[in-house]
Amino acid sequence: MLAVESLELEILRGRPRKVVRNVSFSVPRGRVTCLVGESGCGKSLTCLAILGLLPEAVRRTGGTITIDGERVNDLSPEHLQALRGGKAAMILQNPMSCFDPICTVKSHFLESLAAHGGNPGRLSPEVMPESDLARARRSLAEVGFDSPDDILDAYPFQLSGGMLQRVMVALALLSEIRLLLADEPTTDLDVVSQARILTLLDETRRRHGMGVLLVTHDIGVVARMADFVVVMHKGEVVEQGEVATLFAAPRHAYTRALLQAHLSLYGLSFGDEAVGTVSPEPCLAAATPGPVPEEVRIR
Amino acid sequence: MTLLRTLLSGRTTRLAFVAACAVLLVALFAPLLSSWDPDDIDLSQKLQAPSREHLLGTDHLGRDVLARLLHGARASLGSVAVIVAAILLLSLSVGSVAGYAGGMVDAFLMRLCDTFLTFPTFILAMFLIGILGAGMTNVILAIVCTHWAWYARIIRGLVLSLKTREHVLAARVAGTGQFRLVMRHILPGVFPQILVLATLDIGHMMLHVSGLSFLGLGVQPPTAEWGVMINDARQYIWTQPQLLFYPGLAIFVTVMAFNLLGDGLRDALDPVGETGGWGK
Ligand SMILES: Nc1ncnc2c1ncn2[C@@H]1O[C@H](COP(=O)(O)OP(=O)(O)O)[C@@H](O)[C@H]1O
Ligand SMILES: [Mg+2]
């Protein structure tokens, strides 16, 4: 679905420096690939590069990105624009700042619809055609809103972070996307909202069969969601593989440190002598939050 | 509307708002407010004291001072309106293109702005008038030339900071096109700030217009304009000081009103800039 090969990104400001070096990984259809690593190691820039949205100060100096057989590097700006939100969508970290404060949720839907096969040109929320409105409602219902119309009429500041994050998923689901990038979608949310968003992402992936690239630095999230894990450290991929294998036998020192840091939260340890022999079960058990109680499930 | 309510909660701003509206109404309805023609010369009636007929008396050519004062609001506000509109048009296009495009385009447009910023208003006005002749058009041209670049720079700065906001990125992620991005997500964030700036500057521009007209470079006599009126009254400063006083007061009140209104607007809009919480 998505293949990133030897991606190289360089920051132009000041003395040029490479922030992402030789990063290769792939995200298969219908699976969740987790991209983990500490803050500032280049996870977000990698995501932005995939959609061709690098900030001005950052440039891709090498490597190729392929989405669904299409080389993103070769696409014209118009094709890229059609790709964003059409084939691939992205969910950002801080839902509170991702909505234009002066536009209602409806306007945001209108805009995404206009960009992707809705009625173009018409951008006044009052004249949203019924077919588009139905699409928006369906999408909102899918992410668990009981009364989509109330949400459509709300301004972003009237909704909580968790609700906005679900709205963001709903926006992504307007088109039949093949690839969903989620850049730390739960980092800024409270625990209950986190669980709800993760469940939602999982259900969505299962229903639509899209590939998901989930960026996180929370091993708990990895344990719960991932099929594959890619570990980044200082701009390079230091280790990748299936989640069970990786947790059972982390080869790289950084991966080990990451797991250790997580386990120590639960008073467990991951001694060097045990590496390789320890079964993944205790890690996973410690890392996985329990099932979400029924009453906090999506209403 | 809530903005208006916040704006009018302060007493000073309320007063300024009323004064500014009054001047605007006067400018719009000047012919209805006085039965005299402001340009109607009657030398037999010159320098009359206030009377039932001429509420504020007459000037050295026997013209009704009140009528000239009321029509003067038209000339002053009218020219300022043209100036502000032209400045906004120029600076919004140049500023947003520079800020949004960045790179070479930005560098080029900003050097262009720097060039314009080096001209002092009065010098450029005299230069233009020296070449093209005196007249309101040239004064407007001079003021626009020397002021638009300030606005363009500020707008560029605002666009630069707005375009890195996450909701702009989110809109791009969703596949929104460039034009729509600028029109719907960036410029709406620029407008409130520019509105404040423009309101604060109305008084400033008005002083330029009246000042240049006073020097005989702008609005030409006999057209009624406050600067022209002060110039006309100059020779009678000792005998008829009220002839200087009325247009002076009109300029003072108008400039003051727009400045205070601008201040009030800034205060009313400021929390928005901080939190992004509109229309609560
Ligand atoms: N717009 C930018 N301009 C300059 N440097 C940037 C920019 N965005 C990110 N960086 C730098 O690139 C590196 C990687 O950032 P990022 O991909 O955001 O890390 P993270 O893994 O936390 O998401 C950081 O060192 C950061 O300082
Ligand atoms: Mg990040």
Side-chain angles (χ1 to χ4, degrees), chain A residues 11 13 17 19 38-45 55 57-58:
Chain A
I11 291 193
R13 198 162 297 159
R17 93 193 140 91
V19 276
E38 63 201 349
S39 289
C41 71
K43 305 184 299 288
S44 297
L45 288 184
V58 184

Side-chain angles (χ1 to χ4, degrees), chain A residues 48 51 53 56 81 84-85 88-90 92-94 97-103 107-108 111-112 114-116 121 123 157, chain B residues 99-103 160 163 165-167 169-178 180-181 184-185 188-189 276-280:
Chain A
L48 291 175
L51 291 180
L53 284 175
E56 246 165 65
Q81 206 172 298
R84 293 179 206 131
M90 179 148 132
L92 299 165
Q93 175 174 343
N94 184 351
S97 63
C98 285
F99 288 84
D100 194 328
I102 60 176
C103 299
S107 318
H108 286 86
E111 197 170 285
S112 293
H116 299 289
L123 272 184
F157 69 87
Chain B
Y100 189 78
L160 271 182
K163 80 169 175 180
R165 291 268 185 90
E166 276 215 307
H167 70 256
L169 176 65
R172 295 180 70 195
V173 165
T176 304
Q178 311 246 344
R180 186 164 285 167
L181 203 66
R184 287 183 54 84
H185 295 288
W278 259 83
K280 288 186 190 175

Side-chain angles (χ1 to χ4, degrees), chain B residues 70-166:
Chain B
L70 297 176
H71 281 80
R74 288 195 139 182
S76 297
L77 281 184
S79 48
V80 168
V82 173
I83 291 170
V84 170
I87 286 179
L88 288 185
L89 199 70
L90 254 175
S91 59
L92 275 172
S93 25
V94 171
S96 51
V97 167
Y100 189 78
M104 295 281 282
V105 179
D106 183 26
F108 172 75
L109 289 175
M110 284 304 106
R111 292 303 80 74
L112 190 71
C113 283
D114 289 344
T115 316
F116 275 93
L117 286 176
T118 55
F119 297 126
T121 308
F122 270 73
I123 309 282
L124 184 70
M126 285 180 200
F127 173 74
L128 280 178
I129 285 155
I131 298 175
L132 304 170
M136 204 53 227
T137 326
N138 297 333
V139 164
I140 290 178
L141 205 62
I143 297 177
V144 171
C145 279
T146 48
H147 286 73
W148 73 272
W150 291 104
Y151 283 75
R153 292 207 79 127
I154 291 167
I155 290 166
R156 167 189 174 263
L158 289 169
V159 170
L160 271 182
S161 80
L162 279 168
K163 80 169 175 180
T164 55
R165 291 268 185 90
E166 276 215 307

